[in-house]
Amino acid sequence: MRLIILFSILFSFSNLRCAQSEDNWKLIVLGIAQDAGYPQAGCKKSCCKAYWKGQNPKQHPTCLALLNNQSKEAWLFEATPDFKDQMRALDTLGYQLSGIFLTHAHIGHYSGLIHLGREVMGTKTIPVYAMPKMKSFLENNGPWSQLVSLNNIELKELKNEKSVRLNASTKVTPFLVPHRDEYSETVGFKIAGLNQTILFIPDINKWETWNKDLAEEIKKVDYAFLDASFFADGELPGRDMSKIPHPFTSETMELLQDLPIKEKSKVHFIHFNHTNPALFNSPERKQVLKKGFNIVKEGQMIDL
């Protein structure tokens, strides 16, 4: 049982070591679920009961890591509640945490920062990249402000559409997207390497509220990791889902249905709520794949 648990925590990453070269960048997926992961606390529905019965694997909150195979540095995209598991994956692969990029101030995207404090890792000036309101939120609210005052983290202010260069060939560009912005603005990221570019939008309101054309943005990149929190209306009985600020997976597929198959295949759905049936082996998941789209998997690696 202990071996099975350890294998799960490492996301089966160790078998990917041999595939890494000494002088390139890779992006690895460390989580694909919504903020609370899967299973979710307090859920008594069949979706989470299936996990406790051993029918479905655990899925961690959405997180990516950009890996430099020469320097062995790693940059996380999001600091999730499962930060320790995702850090363990980096440790197993032989990478050191060099920085964190945050999209916004919802719990699944920044609360893992607490592990950098003196009660746990006690890090020194780990760069944390955040937009102005997100930066101010961390500076002026405990316990996050203590990470700043004790120099556990060093906040780096991002600007809309302004790139952060990690070296001559690799850059990260934030861009504003509409979302529930109670405490901060929300961004997606464009992660560009020497050969490939990834669009990462884990949270957004309906696509029509964005000031960009999704289909055109997909054409500009090689991979598009897109918000798939809920599959369709009616998924949450008793709730008016028209008031939930996320595009349904079914809506995104309909919006992009006229794209050539080459462009559709760039779409990799991510950030699944525990209720989204496409997270599991289901007719809905098969529907996504049949239509030419993809679903992100934990442990998936992409050469940049």
Side-chain angles (χ1 to χ4, degrees):
M1 178 60 72
R2 288 183 179 178
L3 288 175
I4 294 173
I5 294 172
L6 179 60
F7 185 75
S8 175
I9 290 175
L10 299 184
F11 311 120
S12 305
F13 293 160
S14 58
N15 66 339
L16 297 171
R17 287 180 178 175
C18 59
Q20 299 174 12
S21 67
E22 295 180 356
D23 190 22
N24 64 10
W25 291 78
K26 292 181 182 289
L27 185 130
I28 189 168
V29 177
L30 300 179
I32 68 170
Q34 178 260 11
D35 300 41
Y38 171 81
Q40 188 163 306
C43 177
K44 297 179 175 60
K45 300 176 183 177
S46 59
C47 54
C48 290
K49 283 182 178 179
Y51 169 81
W52 300 115
K53 293 178 180 178
Q55 297 170 357
N56 291 328
K58 179 177 181 179
Q59 301 289 351
H60 299 80
T62 293
C63 179
L64 310 178
L66 187 57
L67 309 176
N68 184 311
N69 287 333
Q70 185 175 27
S71 65
K72 295 301 178 182
E73 296 174 298
W75 284 263
L76 284 179
F77 288 80
E78 313 293 33
T80 82
D82 283 347
F83 186 84
K84 61 182 178 181
D85 288 347
Q86 289 156 338
M87 277 295 299
R88 173 61 175 156
L90 295 181
D91 291 341
T92 299
L93 288 170
Y95 290 89
Q96 295 288 326
L97 180 64
S98 296
I100 301 172
F101 288 86
L102 302 177
T103 58
H104 64 300
H106 286 160
I107 64 163
H109 302 263
Y110 79 97
S111 62
L113 291 176
I114 205 66
H115 292 278
L116 302 178
R118 61 183 174 187
E119 298 92 341
V120 191
M121 294 176 67
T123 58
K124 299 296 182 184
T125 61
I126 291 291
V128 173
Y129 296 87
M131 293 294 284
K133 289 181 181 178
M134 183 78 216
K135 179 174 177 285
S136 178
F137 173 77
L138 295 172
E139 289 172 326
N140 295 294
N141 293 277
W144 324 107
S145 55
Q146 182 172 280
L147 298 174
V148 179
S149 63
L150 294 181
N151 295 314
N152 299 126
I153 65 175
E154 181 179 359
L155 293 174
K156 305 281 190 179
E157 186 169 303
L158 294 170
K159 294 183 179 180
N160 184 41
E161 303 282 2
K162 185 173 182 179
S163 299
V164 175
R165 282 206 168 269
L166 300 182
N167 74 354
S169 67
T170 304
K171 63 182 180 180
V172 177
T173 307
F175 52 89
L176 289 167
V177 297
H179 192 46
R180 284 186 299 113
D181 294 338
E182 302 96 333
Y183 301 114
S184 77
E185 61 276 270
T186 303
V187 295
F189 288 108
K190 188 174 287 187
I191 306 164
L194 187 63
N195 299 307
Q196 300 203 85
T197 300
I198 296 171
L199 188 71
F200 178 49
I201 308 177
D203 274 286
I204 193 169
N205 292 351
K206 300 296 187 183
W207 293 116
E208 59 266 26
T209 65
W210 193 25
N211 62 0
K212 297 185 179 182
D213 183 288
L214 177 60
E216 291 303 313
E217 294 304 308
I218 289 171
K219 293 175 184 178
K220 299 174 186 177
V221 301
D222 300 286
Y223 293 83
F225 289 179
L226 303 182
D227 182 351
S229 297
F230 302 96
F231 192 82
D233 196 9
E235 189 173 313
L236 300 178
R239 298 236 351 233
D240 181 358
M241 293 190 69
S242 68
K243 299 184 184 303
I244 296 176
H246 292 279
F248 300 139
T249 311
S250 56
E251 290 176 330
T252 303
M253 292 192 294
E254 183 177 357
L255 177 65
L256 302 175
Q257 64 181 343
D258 293 330
L259 281 179
I261 190 65
K262 179 182 176 181
E263 301 300 326
K264 285 183 181 179
S265 66
K266 294 178 180 179
V267 174
H268 289 65
F269 288 111
I270 198 168
H271 197 268
F272 292 87
N273 195 58
H274 65 294
T275 58
N276 189 330
L279 182 60
F280 317 109
N281 185 16
S282 65
E284 289 83 358
R285 186 182 185 92
K286 293 175 183 176
Q287 179 184 340
V288 171
L289 301 176
K290 185 177 181 179
K291 289 179 180 291
F293 302 98
N294 288 292
I295 292 172
V296 175
K297 298 178 182 178
E298 292 192 1
Q300 180 177 347
M301 269 194 176
I302 297 170
D303 292 320
L304 291 179

